[in-house]
Amino acid sequence: MRLINIKPGPALALFLVLLPFAAVLVAYAVGSDIRLTANPSDKLLPAPGTVGDTMMRLLTEGDRRTGRILFWYDTWASLQRLWLGIAISASVGLVFGLLIGLFPLMRSLLAQFVAVLSMIPPLALLPILFIVFGLGELSKVVLIVVGTLPFIIRDLSQRTYEIPQELLVKAQTLGASSWVIAIRVALPQVMPRLIQAVRLSLGPAWLFLIAAEAIAADLGLGYRIFLVRRYLAMDVILTYVIWITILAFAMDWLLRWASRRFYPWAEEGL
Amino acid sequence: MSFVTVRDLFQTYGNRPIIERVNVDVAEGEFISIVGASGCGKSTFLRLLLAQERPTRGEIRIDGAEPAREPGLDRGIVFQRYSVFPHMTVRDNIVAGESFRAGWGRFFGDAAKAARDRADQTLARIGLDHVADNYPATLSGGMQQRLAIAQALAAKPRVLLLDEPFGALDPGTRLSMHDFLQDLRAETGMTVFMVTHDLEEAFKLGDRVLVFDKPRWDPHDPSRYGATITYDFDARDGGIPFQTLKENIHVPEPH
């Protein structure tokens, strides 16, 4: 039988899904064990048990000075910045995507401009953002917007442009104005694409968030990771990295669910 | 009494003529079938009728009005594909036929309810009431085209244009679509232009059959000349065996 025709049953499929996760855990445990037997005070690969203890401590115990559980404050600060940045990118991107995709005049005016803008490496702008917007929340949110907006605009304008001409002509024969075509035909058709684009932008958004927090912040997941780096606190770093991964995965799952729930007609495109 | 008047119509893409010197008069309520080989400008002619494109020369007038500059309410269209809005339910697709001309593209309050009721009546008449809340993607090809025709008619156009509407359907569905279209036409008496590949369909449904072909042909440069109407058949008395030549033909006859 050919390899392309061999499909796993449910049990085997589950096993195969879990296998790489287990492999990473085992590899880490073995590596950590080897280093710790050689040098019990090694800090590079703390034992899984130590990481678990640290995790519990971080999640439940307050800061010694203020009594605040910093883990949740960090999470809240980071999520706020991320959410704000993504929300601004998505809404501005939607408006400009529709404008560029639907109106030839806007396409001539803006398409090339956005294409050039999207080539600017956002991190290279970070110093400028800090100078212009200060070291507060604004510059971090702006970095996320700068980093994700051009992609969202380009993606949505392309999707809008790809809406079959037949549908736009049909709408015109039903007497629709440009405005009605924009809100009743183009907008609902690109909404599932907007969710897709946001899903794809989440990775870069986290990257820019953590980069901005690493350089200037006093709270936030990225700030904490780069702070404890000085003490080689690998257990804390690992806890935060796992937590960020879980958050990112949950957001992605939530967006996919929303897309299925609210745009069932677009099912096959996802 | 000419309802749709086509005068000296030329369409050229770049320096490639597609159709040349098309003249035709159509009375109100006539069903015109348009046939011809691939690439002989039938679809271009339909796009010109629709005002999706504007001709290089010549003009098309409906009921003596100024030639249209863009598609509008007076011309309805059904394409072979992508004719209904995939993001709207079947019922909303029918309602859209009336509501898209409103400022927000939808009705509110009592008007919305009345439009929904009218849409439900329409759906009951065309046998789609049991799928009113489904999305078009779940419908068969024939049902989608029935929906598309009903949607176009909901806007009450003066001329209905059909671009190979049954081209993608299987033969059985096609026959039932013919009955459906003939019933609708008996009911509304609408002027219809239909482009088709199927000669039998053209003669069965049409009152007149226009044949598009290239009267001049350069064997060294096939795209040198455009196509025009070479035959204009009267197809009213029952189709293929009975057709009679209606107007002068533009093809040189063999000697």
Side-chain angles (χ1 to χ4, degrees):
Chain A
M1 202 164 162
R2 286 183 189 83
L3 211 48
I4 59 163
N5 291 325
I6 298 175
K7 293 174 186 137
L12 181 60
L14 184 64
F15 171 74
L16 289 175
V17 167
L18 295 178
L19 188 61
F21 294 100
V24 168
L25 279 180
V26 168
Y28 179 85
V30 171
S32 150
D33 195 50
I34 292 171
R35 283 190 76 97
L36 286 171
T37 34
N39 172 15
S41 60
D42 177 71
K43 297 188 85 169
L44 267 190
L45 296 180
T50 320
V51 177
D53 292 344
T54 309
M55 211 178 276
M56 283 314 292
R57 184 170 56 78
L58 287 174
L59 263 62
T60 53
E61 282 178 29
D63 180 54
R64 239 169 294 164
R65 190 163 58 81
T66 58
R68 302 191 303 187
I69 302 177
L70 289 176
F71 184 82
W72 300 116
Y73 278 86
D74 285 337
T75 306
W76 176 238
S78 286
L79 284 183
Q80 228 176 356
R81 293 165 187 150
L82 190 75
W83 187 84
L84 202 58
I86 285 284
I88 293 173
S89 273
S91 36
V92 175
L94 180 63
V95 170
F96 276 92
L98 285 175
L99 286 175
I100 294 173
L102 216 47
F103 301 102
L105 288 174
M106 292 304 277
R107 190 152 54 241
S108 299
L109 180 69
L110 289 177
Q112 289 309 310
F113 183 63
V114 173
V116 170
L117 277 192
S118 69
M119 292 302 150
I120 301 174
L123 281 181
L125 291 180
L126 190 52
I128 302 178
L129 298 183
F130 279 141
I131 293 166
V132 175
F133 297 109
L135 297 175
E137 295 301 299
L138 189 57
S139 56
K140 299 174 189 65
V141 173
V142 171
L143 179 68
I144 296 176
V145 172
V146 168
T148 55
L149 182 57
F151 165 75
I152 294 185
I153 292 181
R154 290 183 78 184
D155 191 53
L156 288 189
S157 58
Q158 189 57 32
R159 298 306 148 193
T160 310
Y161 189 61
E162 282 169 8
I163 292 175
Q165 194 63 32
E166 284 91 338
L167 291 183
L168 303 183
V169 171
K170 179 87 182 202
Q172 293 177 58
T173 65
L174 302 181
S177 61
S178 299
W179 163 247
V180 169
I181 291 176
I183 61 164
R184 293 282 277 142
V185 182
L187 177 65
Q189 299 237 8
V190 297
M191 275 311 284
R193 280 307 307 186
L194 175 66
I195 293 181
Q196 269 323 71
V198 167
R199 280 177 68 192
L200 291 174
S201 295
L202 274 180
W206 275 104
L207 169 72
F208 297 129
L209 173 71
I210 289 171
E213 285 179 344
I215 292 171
D218 51 13
L219 209 57
L221 296 168
Y223 161 74
R224 194 69 52 196
I225 289 178
F226 278 79
L227 181 72
V228 302
R229 178 196 57 155
R230 296 172 196 167
Y231 316 116
L232 269 182
M234 281 296 279
D235 45 355
V236 177
I237 295 179
L238 283 175
T239 303
Y240 271 76
V241 169
I242 293 170
W243 176 234
I244 290 174
T245 311
I246 293 173
L247 285 177
F249 188 79
M251 287 177 195
D252 187 65
W253 184 88
L254 208 68
L255 285 170
R256 203 175 50 193
W257 173 84
S259 184
R260 293 231 172 100
R261 167 74 180 70
F262 297 111
Y263 307 103
W265 50 268
E267 187 85 41
E268 74 271 29
L270 299 178
Chain B
M1 179 60 226
S2 167
F3 182 59
V4 179
T5 318
V6 179
R7 283 287 164 268
D8 270 328
L9 198 68
F10 283 71
Q11 180 67 324
T12 313
Y13 295 147
N15 52 10
R16 210 156 61 85
I18 304 297
I19 54 180
E20 45 184 49
R21 211 176 296 108
V22 171
N23 284 290
V24 69
D25 291 294
V26 173
E28 187 159 18
E30 265 191 307
F31 191 122
I32 310 294
S33 298
I34 301 168
V35 297
S38 296
C40 68
K42 337 184 266 300
S43 289
T44 304
F45 182 59
L46 202 75
R47 281 200 295 276
L48 290 169
L49 282 172
L50 182 58
Q52 187 183 350
E53 291 173 12
R54 298 173 62 189
T56 321
R57 277 169 58 190
E59 59 178 33
I60 299 173
R61 291 174 187 267
I62 293 181
D63 205 10
E66 277 302 298
R69 293 151 55 89
E70 56 181 3
L73 267 174
D74 50 351
R75 302 128 205 255
I77 178 80
V78 173
F79 295 105
Q80 184 175 354
R81 295 174 61 212
Y82 301 122
S83 250
V84 291
F85 300 107
H87 59 280
M88 295 182 183
T89 62
V90 168
R91 181 187 293 116
D92 287 345
N93 261 294
I94 300 282
V95 172
E98 298 180 39
S99 71
F100 265 27
R101 73 195 70 171
W104 287 84
R106 58 170 83 239
F107 293 135
F108 299 97
D110 290 342
K113 202 180 165 317
R116 261 204 311 278
D117 291 343
R118 278 196 300 278
D120 282 336
Q121 285 166 20
T122 307
L123 289 174
R125 203 170 66 231
I126 64 174
L128 289 179
D129 43 347
H130 60 294
V131 289
D133 293 310
N134 291 19
Y135 287 103
T138 62
L139 270 54
S140 71
M143 287 160 107
Q144 287 192 25
Q145 288 308 73
R146 252 187 287 167
L147 177 62
I149 293 170
Q151 181 190 49
L153 290 179
K156 302 205 166 43
R158 311 201 62 185
V159 177
L160 180 63
L161 307 170
L162 308 171
D163 192 358
E164 296 180 37
F166 314 131
L169 306 180
D170 61 81
T173 313
R174 204 183 270 225
L175 286 179
S176 65
M177 289 301 291
H178 291 169
D179 296 341
F180 170 68
L181 191 57
Q182 279 171 327
D183 288 351
L184 272 185
R185 213 174 91 72
E187 214 171 294
T188 60
M190 180 157 307
T191 313
V192 183
F193 288 82
M194 178 180 74
V195 166
T196 178
H197 270 118
D198 184 341
L199 283 177
E200 206 176 325
E201 178 176 280
F203 278 97
K204 175 178 169 190
L205 295 177
D207 298 328
R208 255 166 97 181
V209 176
L210 304 181
V211 182
F212 272 74
D213 202 357
K214 295 183 177 180
R216 292 178 294 172
W217 178 260
D218 182 344
H220 303 292
D221 186 5
S223 62
R224 173 80 191 276
Y225 300 112
T228 189
I229 297 175
T230 53
Y231 291 94
D232 184 347
F233 290 113
D234 186 331
R236 253 169 306 198
D237 36 1
I240 285 174
F242 308 108
Q243 77 264 34
T244 44
L245 221 46
K246 191 170 179 179
E247 286 186 2
N248 64 319
I249 55 175
H250 306 281
V251 203
E253 282 177 76
H255 296 292

